[in-house]
Every structure is written in structure tokens, then in C-alpha cells.
Amino acid sequence: RKALMISCFGGFLIGLEAAKRMVKQGAGAIFFTGASASIKGFANSSVFGMGKFALRGLAQALAREMHPQNIHIGHFIIDGGIVSENRPYVKDDDKLCPDEIAQRYLEFYNQKRSTWSWEIEIRPWLEKF
């Protein structure tokens, strides 16, 4: 239950408070981070999947609601393991590099209005999808 509350309701509360401030400013961006479970269910992960599906739905609805108010809502599907001290590369391209993930967020933030998006999937080259 906690995963559902944190993934969905926590995102709702943070998004609500951030949006209030951004509406006053007349602009802003709110980005939510999801996972593979945002778009596909897995055995033995129903609570995690519910939370991530709900967070994606929240982001999609907020994108439509807040876009006219100049607030960019984004949802990022992180589909793979992330390199760390405890999770080094096994082969080239088998995990996501944190710096490259951050670069995708920055590119998304700076995207041109002629190629606007509310969602992006990020996965390592070798990830099965």
C-alpha cells in the first residue's frame, strides 16, 4: 500500500503544490519519474504497477490541464537498471548512466514548442522491450 500512496498520491500532492506556485508565476515545469510498470504490468508487482500506472495518468491529465497555463508537465519512463557502485556495467550499454538520464531531462525541459512532448521512455541499448 505504501508504494501506491507514494507513487500516486505523493505525486498528486507535490504536483498540486508546485502547480499552484507556477500558475502565480505564469510558467513552470513539473516532471514525474515512472518506470516500466507505468505502461506494462508484471507478475508479483501489482501494487507497484498500480502506483506507476496512476502516476502516469496523473501526469497525462495534468499535461492537458496545465499546458494552456504555460506549465510543462512531463512523465519519464525509466526502463532499466541504473549504473551505480553496486550496479556496475556488465556489458557496454546494459544499464543507464545517471549523467545521460539527467541530460534527457534537460533536453526535455528545453524542447521547442514545434516538437512538444509530455512523455519520454529512457532505456539502455540492451534492454528488452
Side-chain angles (χ1 to χ4, degrees):
R1 275 193 255 164
K2 289 180 183 179
L4 178 60
M5 293 297 290
I6 292 168
S7 289
C8 182
F9 191 54
F12 170 77
L13 293 175
I14 296 295
L16 177 66
E17 291 304 313
K20 286 180 189 177
R21 289 167 174 79
M22 291 175 190
V23 166
K24 288 180 186 175
Q25 294 176 164
I30 304 169
F31 296 162
F32 297 97
T33 300
S36 311
S38 302
I39 55 172
K40 57 187 172 186
F42 295 93
N44 302 315
S45 66
S46 59
V47 173
F48 181 71
M50 284 185 341
K52 292 302 180 182
F53 264 85
L55 184 67
R56 182 175 187 250
L58 170 67
Q60 188 176 66
L62 279 176
R64 291 185 167 97
E65 182 179 340
M66 303 309 294
H67 176 82
Q69 298 178 63
N70 203 31
I71 299 171
H72 188 188
I73 306 296
H75 181 253
F76 291 75
I77 298 168
I78 307 298
D79 190 10
I82 300 172
V83 173
S84 69
E85 282 185 23
N86 297 332
R87 293 179 97 168
Y89 287 114
V90 174
K91 301 181 207 172
D92 287 341
D93 303 326
D94 75 328
K95 291 187 183 59
L96 294 159
C97 173
D99 291 339
E100 290 300 320
I101 294 171
Q103 185 63 37
R104 298 300 80 78
Y105 276 77
L106 184 60
E107 290 167 358
F108 194 88
Y109 178 78
N110 289 320
Q111 69 185 281
K112 304 291 183 209
R113 289 179 183 245
S114 65
T115 55
W116 200 253
S117 179
W118 76 275
E119 183 173 63
I120 184 172
E121 288 186 54
I122 302 170
R123 66 175 45 85
W125 178 253
L126 297 177
E127 183 70 19
K128 296 175 183 170
F129 60 100

